[in-house]
């Protein structure tokens, strides 16, 4: 404003109250159109109940949701749900549930459906709904299949085989066993590896299996074992690394005083002792790609006075949280316009995957910003091909320093491109939020 030639400047603040609708969760009900295990599988018709949450500062009336999916083998039979309102901080389901049918030939993979949420005063928000089609399951009842086994270290043996001595599967008769066939004693100097086939996993995947074990412990040292089993993982052909179950391994390896030692270093966490059938769960975190699991059992020189030990049994192995299908061609979906997906995992502590999809070859810039709008990291700045794309943020800034815990925005900037028949594909900017927790 001016007054007789003078200039007056003043900051004016505005408080904006608005709803912010996020996906709070969803459930899959296949009790009527499937096998009732709560997993979307090929050949099933399921009901999907979606729960939304208003994390904004203002209520939203007339909440509606429309579910869409571009996969040619997934059909949405009922695509709309609604609720009267969502107050700030309130969460609630859309009703009625969405209904989906998956063709029997559909491969196992992570299906990314889109939910368009609408409400009063022109509110619109697009949310991604990650639906996992199927899961990997092996009950050993049809034989070895694509599984394999061998001795890991020179000078050590392999004793894995399919056994009918013990079994966990309901109405089943077989399991994998590391021990002497037809005998109750496993051999000395084992470094035996049971290898799964490659299984495509996505972020947040979970490995579960049932185990029965009888292995020699070090009685003088509580929670120590001379022999035991552990689980390792290899991603995309990389080296195997040990992974830990939820709750941790119950024992650590104790080396004897004599020179003849087992294959595991002193202090290695293992399953050991004697334990009846129990299920173990392994959370695989942000890992994704082609995963191979290795169930490894090791033994040292047998103490003649220690007694007989039966070994380790593995049964009913399942992997929940599949990525692209293993052994099958993934259907590559090309969207009509650029899509920026929600990062996974979120929140994250070490690495997170940011995925997007393009309708054509376009120039792309993907950057991380803090809540003050300051640039933290440039993840991508180049032309990308059409279809699904993904990059990883390791939680560091451009200078390589660890970013602090907090909320960050990742912004995808897409240039225009020429489509079929000369029709242009629009560019533009898309923004989502992620949470880094140290």
């Amino acid at each position: 404003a001016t007054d007789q030639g003078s200039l007056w400047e003043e900051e004016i603040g505005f408080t904006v109250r608005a709803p912010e609708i996020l996906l709070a969760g969803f459930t899959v009900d296949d009790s009527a159109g499937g096998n009732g295990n709560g997993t979307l599988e090929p050949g099933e018709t399921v009901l999907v109940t979606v729960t939304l949450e208003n994390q904004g500062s203002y209520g939203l009336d007339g909440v509606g949701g429309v579910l869409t999916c571009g996969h040619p083998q997934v059909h949405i039979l009922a695509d709309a749900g609604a609720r009267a309102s969502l107050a700030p901080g309130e969460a609630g389901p859309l009703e009625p549930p969405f209904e989906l049918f998956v063709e029997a030939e559909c491969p196992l993979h992570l299906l990314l459906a889109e939910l368009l949420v609408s409400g009063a005063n022109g509110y619109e928000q697009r949310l991604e709904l990650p639906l996992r089609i199927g899961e990997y399951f092996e009950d050993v009842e049809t034989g070895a299949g694509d599984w394999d086994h061998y001795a890991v270290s020179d000078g050590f043996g392999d004793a894995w085989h399919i056994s009918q001595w013990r079994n966990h599967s309901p109405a089943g008769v077989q399991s994998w066993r590391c021990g002497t066939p037809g005998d109750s004693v496993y051999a000395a100097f084992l470094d035996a590896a049971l290898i799964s086939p490659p299984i495509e996993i996505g972020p947040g995947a979970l490995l579960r299996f049932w185990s029965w074990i009888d292995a020699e412990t070090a009685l003088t040292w509580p929670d120590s074992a001379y022999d035991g089993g552990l689980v390792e993982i290899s991603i995309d052909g990389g080296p195997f690394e040990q992974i830990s179950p939820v709750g941790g391994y119950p024992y650590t390896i104790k080396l004897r005083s004599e020179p003849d030692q087992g294959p595991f270093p002193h202090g290695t966490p293992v399953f050991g002792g004697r334990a009846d059938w129990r299920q173990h769960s392994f959370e695989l975190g942000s890992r994704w790609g082609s995963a191979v699991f290795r169930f490894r059992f090791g033994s040292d020189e047998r103490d003649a006075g220690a007694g007989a030990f039966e070994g380790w049994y593995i049964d009913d192995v399942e992997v929940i949280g599949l990525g692209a299908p293993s052994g099958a061609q993934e259907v590559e979906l090309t969207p009509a316009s650029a899509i920026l997906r929600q990062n996974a995992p979120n929140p994250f502590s070490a690495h997170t995957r940011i995925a997007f999809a393009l309708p054509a070859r376009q120039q792309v810039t993907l950057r991380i910003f803090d809540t003050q709008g300051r640039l933290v990291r440039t993840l991508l700045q180049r032309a990308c091909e059409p279809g699904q794309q993904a990059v990883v943020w390791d939680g560091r800034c451009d200078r390589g320093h660890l970013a602090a815990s907090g909320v960050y925005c990742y912004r995808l900037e897409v240039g225009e491109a020429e489509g079929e028949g000369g029709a242009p594909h629009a560019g533009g900017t898309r923004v989502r939020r992620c949470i880094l927790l140290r």
Side-chain angles (χ1 to χ4, degrees):
T2 59
D3 182 14
Q4 297 181 352
S6 62
L7 178 65
W8 171 75
E9 294 182 355
E10 182 68 27
E11 268 190 17
I12 301 176
F14 295 93
T15 300
V16 178
R17 300 176 63 201
E20 183 178 8
I21 308 301
L22 300 178
L23 178 67
F26 62 90
T27 60
V28 175
D29 180 4
D30 61 339
S31 57
N35 59 14
N37 66 353
T39 300
L40 181 61
E41 296 179 351
E44 291 188 339
T45 299
V46 304
L47 298 177
V48 179
T49 299
V50 175
T51 299
L52 302 178
E53 181 178 3
N54 185 357
Q55 294 189 359
S57 58
Y58 198 78
L60 181 65
D61 294 329
V63 182
V66 175
L67 189 66
T68 59
C69 172
H71 199 292
Q73 294 172 301
V74 178
H75 308 279
I76 300 179
L77 307 180
D79 65 352
R83 62 179 295 108
S85 63
L86 277 174
E90 182 185 10
L94 295 176
E95 296 178 341
F98 302 99
E99 186 175 7
L100 286 78
F101 168 68
V102 182
E103 294 181 9
E105 296 78 16
C106 184
L108 309 183
H109 73 298
L110 176 64
L111 171 69
L112 297 173
E114 185 175 80
L115 181 66
L116 175 60
V117 179
S118 60
N121 301 316
Y123 180 90
E124 281 195 354
Q125 173 72 35
R126 294 183 183 273
L127 302 176
E128 192 172 83
L129 193 66
L131 297 169
R132 302 192 184 279
I133 299 181
E135 63 182 55
Y136 179 85
F137 182 77
E138 175 57 64
D139 61 7
V140 202
E141 296 305 316
T142 58
D146 294 329
W147 287 66
D148 198 5
H149 54 94
Y150 56 81
V152 177
S153 305
D154 292 340
F156 289 84
D158 169 34
W160 284 106
H161 62 282
I162 292 179
S163 170
Q164 295 185 4
W165 197 273
R166 295 186 186 275
N167 165 76
H168 173 267
S169 308
V173 296
Q174 297 187 151
S175 65
W176 281 105
R177 177 192 178 190
C178 187
T180 305
D183 197 345
S184 61
V185 180
Y186 61 81
F189 298 122
L190 294 176
D191 189 3
L194 173 65
I195 306 294
S196 78
I199 302 169
E200 296 289 337
I201 63 170
L206 181 73
L207 165 69
R208 293 195 303 210
F209 65 92
W210 286 83
S211 162
W212 189 103
I213 193 167
D214 180 26
E216 185 181 7
T217 59
L219 298 179
T220 309
W221 295 272
D223 302 327
S224 296
Y226 295 126
D227 309 330
L230 54 84
V231 183
E232 299 171 320
I233 189 173
S234 167
I235 300 292
D236 294 331
F240 281 98
E241 60 171 317
Q242 185 177 0
I243 54 177
S244 296
V246 175
Y249 290 95
Y251 292 90
T252 56
I253 287 294
K254 171 72 175 177
L255 296 180
R256 300 182 195 266
S257 57
E258 60 263 24
D260 296 323
Q261 308 289 355
F264 301 141
H266 178 79
T268 300
V270 293
F271 296 116
R274 184 180 177 89
D276 202 352
W277 287 109
R278 64 182 59 179
Q279 190 179 48
H280 302 290
S281 299
F282 292 73
E283 295 175 347
L284 304 179
S286 59
R287 297 179 178 91
W288 74 89
S290 180
V292 172
F293 298 98
R294 185 161 77 173
F295 300 84
R296 189 173 167 190
F297 185 84
S299 64
D300 65 358
E301 183 182 29
R302 176 56 39 76
D303 183 350
F309 299 94
E310 194 170 332
W312 196 22
Y313 295 81
I314 301 295
D315 204 359
D316 295 339
V317 181
E318 60 182 328
V319 179
I320 302 170
L322 301 179
S326 176
Q329 182 178 0
E330 181 179 7
V331 177
E332 182 73 9
L333 301 179
T334 300
S337 60
I339 297 173
L340 178 61
R341 307 194 187 282
Q342 186 62 52
N343 65 301
N346 187 46
F348 72 101
S349 60
H351 299 83
T352 191
R353 180 176 186 260
I354 299 174
F356 59 94
L358 302 174
R361 179 179 171 84
Q362 291 172 278
Q363 191 68 32
V364 168
T365 301
L366 181 60
R367 295 188 176 103
I368 308 292
F369 295 86
D370 64 17
T371 54
Q372 304 301 313
R374 294 172 296 209
L375 177 64
V376 175
R377 181 77 174 270
T378 299
L379 294 175
L380 193 63
Q381 198 165 24
R382 61 176 174 83
C384 292
E385 298 301 319
Q388 312 298 315
Q389 310 283 343
V391 296
V392 176
W393 183 34
D394 60 3
R396 296 179 180 270
C397 66
D398 276 331
R399 295 185 177 181
H401 303 307
L402 292 173
S405 295
V407 178
Y408 293 85
C409 296
Y410 55 97
R411 186 170 72 192
L412 181 72
E413 300 173 18
V414 181
E416 289 188 0
E418 184 174 312
E420 295 184 5
H425 287 292
T429 300
R430 291 145 181 84
V431 180
R432 286 184 180 266
R433 297 192 305 173
C434 61
I435 302 174
L436 173 59
L437 297 177
R438 295 292 184 194

